[in-house]
Amino acid sequence: MPDPFQGEKPDAEGIEKLRVHLSEVWSAVRTDMEEIDSFKGGTFRVWPAGDKRPAYHPPPARYVLDHAVDTQMSVDPKVKKFPAGKGQEHKDKADAVEPGLTAVMMDAALREPSIPWRQAYSYLLSYGYTVMGTLWDEAEREKKPKRKDGESDEEYEARVSQYEASRQGWNPVRIKAPHPSRVLMNPYEMQPDICVITAQRYSQDLANLVKRKGRYGSKRVSSYTAAENPYKLVDTLEVWTANWHVLKVAAEGDLLIMEKNPFGFMNYIHGFAGWGGEVTNTVE
């Protein structure tokens, strides 16, 4: 699928056209995912609508999938760095960075509510499709504290000590395995150029994010004020390309954040289990 933005800054109108198109492409798949979820969660219909007879939902679907995922988890992922050139020296340099990169990856995984590759395996075995992504998050990075007026030496040293401790093991890398139904990419490309992500964020979290991005000047496009209820969930739309990252409220046209992709490449990937293929008549 061609990049509708041609590497330039995405605009609200183009983003909406892209979302509508990809939503139509994935519509039937999302319906299948919902049906699969009903078997995993034990909510599938046993009797016809209106029949009030008691229903028993056998759990084998959940057990089989969980066992298959646990089997996959017996292997820990590792980073493989290919040599930049020929010769033993290049190979030694590539080998030397692998343990460090693997440590960063494992630390990033432990910062997520669920182990990302376990989630990815679960989606792959459940739906035959999975998505993973990498983010750069500096939200937890603390600034060196400045001494406050009237602050004692002991109080200031305690804050500096806390700051120094926070620098140890600081890791801005995040590894995500979002639910495939929330991520829209071209299914006919192994490495899609564009990724559209739908999500819900707390109103106050969204306001804090936009404010933080505004400190960098060009990263924020417009402001956002939190709702009276800071815990109100707001539907957002996020777009990633190899060059740009955009965030907006789904129901509104204005872009909130526009920034360069810090990685310089498409940081979301997807994969299929290989259980099926294209149908004969792709139009229908």
Side-chain angles (χ1 to χ4, degrees), residues 132-149:
M132 293 196 74
T134 303
L135 302 178
W136 187 271
D137 185 8
E138 298 187 4
E140 297 180 2
R141 185 177 185 180
E142 297 186 19
K143 294 183 178 180
K144 187 173 182 178
K146 296 181 179 180
R147 188 154 193 164
K148 301 177 182 178
D149 293 339

Side-chain angles (χ1 to χ4, degrees), residues 62-137:
R62 164 69 69 179
Y63 294 162
V64 170
L65 287 170
D66 286 346
H67 178 68
V69 173
D70 291 338
T71 301
Q72 295 292 328
M73 285 296 293
S74 63
V75 180
D76 290 329
K78 293 181 174 59
V79 173
K80 174 62 179 177
K81 173 68 170 66
F82 293 96
K86 296 181 179 180
Q88 187 62 37
E89 182 180 359
H90 286 286
K91 184 179 183 304
D92 292 341
K93 289 181 178 180
D95 293 343
V97 301
E98 288 179 358
L101 292 176
T102 299
V104 171
M105 180 182 66
M106 299 299 288
D107 178 77
L110 293 176
R111 295 173 185 266
E112 297 301 314
S114 299
I115 301 299
W117 35 88
R118 193 185 199 288
Q119 283 295 107
Y121 284 140
S122 178
Y123 298 142
L124 185 66
L125 292 171
S126 298
Y127 310 125
Y129 177 69
T130 195
V131 176
M132 293 196 74
T134 303
L135 302 178
W136 187 271
D137 185 8

Side-chain angles (χ1 to χ4, degrees), residues 71-237:
T71 301
Q72 295 292 328
M73 285 296 293
S74 63
V75 180
D76 290 329
K78 293 181 174 59
V79 173
K80 174 62 179 177
K81 173 68 170 66
F82 293 96
K86 296 181 179 180
Q88 187 62 37
E89 182 180 359
H90 286 286
K91 184 179 183 304
D92 292 341
K93 289 181 178 180
D95 293 343
V97 301
E98 288 179 358
L101 292 176
T102 299
V104 171
M105 180 182 66
M106 299 299 288
D107 178 77
L110 293 176
R111 295 173 185 266
E112 297 301 314
S114 299
I115 301 299
W117 35 88
R118 193 185 199 288
Q119 283 295 107
Y121 284 140
S122 178
Y123 298 142
L124 185 66
L125 292 171
S126 298
Y127 310 125
Y129 177 69
T130 195
V131 176
M132 293 196 74
T134 303
L135 302 178
W136 187 271
D137 185 8
E138 298 187 4
E140 297 180 2
R141 185 177 185 180
E142 297 186 19
K143 294 183 178 180
K144 187 173 182 178
K146 296 181 179 180
R147 188 154 193 164
K148 301 177 182 178
D149 293 339
E151 188 175 32
S152 67
D153 292 342
E154 183 178 350
E155 292 173 332
Y156 176 65
E157 289 175 0
R159 292 200 300 122
V160 171
S161 177
Q162 182 179 359
Y163 162 73
E164 294 294 342
S166 69
R167 298 177 62 190
Q168 301 295 323
W170 179 72
N171 183 5
V173 176
R174 298 292 181 268
I175 301 176
K176 302 291 184 178
H179 194 283
S181 66
R182 297 195 297 104
V183 184
L184 301 172
M185 291 190 282
N186 185 0
Y188 299 107
E189 294 177 351
M190 183 59 194
Q191 296 180 323
D193 297 322
I194 301 176
C195 173
V196 179
I197 304 175
T198 59
Q200 288 187 320
R201 302 169 187 262
Y202 286 124
S203 176
Q204 188 62 58
D205 286 345
L206 181 58
N208 293 342
L209 174 62
V210 173
K211 181 179 179 181
R212 186 168 68 251
K213 293 292 185 180
R215 298 172 185 167
Y216 301 98
S218 61
K219 291 188 176 184
R220 189 178 73 183
V221 179
S222 61
S223 60
Y224 179 82
T225 303
E228 183 177 351
N229 178 8
Y231 303 107
K232 177 184 177 181
L233 290 173
V234 180
D235 292 325
T236 61
L237 200 64

Side-chain angles (χ1 to χ4, degrees), residues 7-54:
E8 301 297 325
K9 294 181 178 180
D11 59 88
E13 182 180 358
I15 290 173
E16 181 59 19
K17 288 181 179 178
L18 178 64
R19 184 197 66 79
V20 171
H21 168 70
L22 290 176
S23 293
E24 292 175 352
V25 170
W26 285 97
S27 176
V29 177
R30 284 180 165 179
T31 301
D32 289 342
M33 287 181 177
E34 292 176 356
E35 183 177 4
I36 292 170
D37 287 344
S38 71
F39 283 91
K40 290 172 59 181
T43 60
F44 59 91
R45 179 179 295 173
V46 176
W47 306 111
D51 195 318
K52 297 183 179 181
R53 283 180 290 178

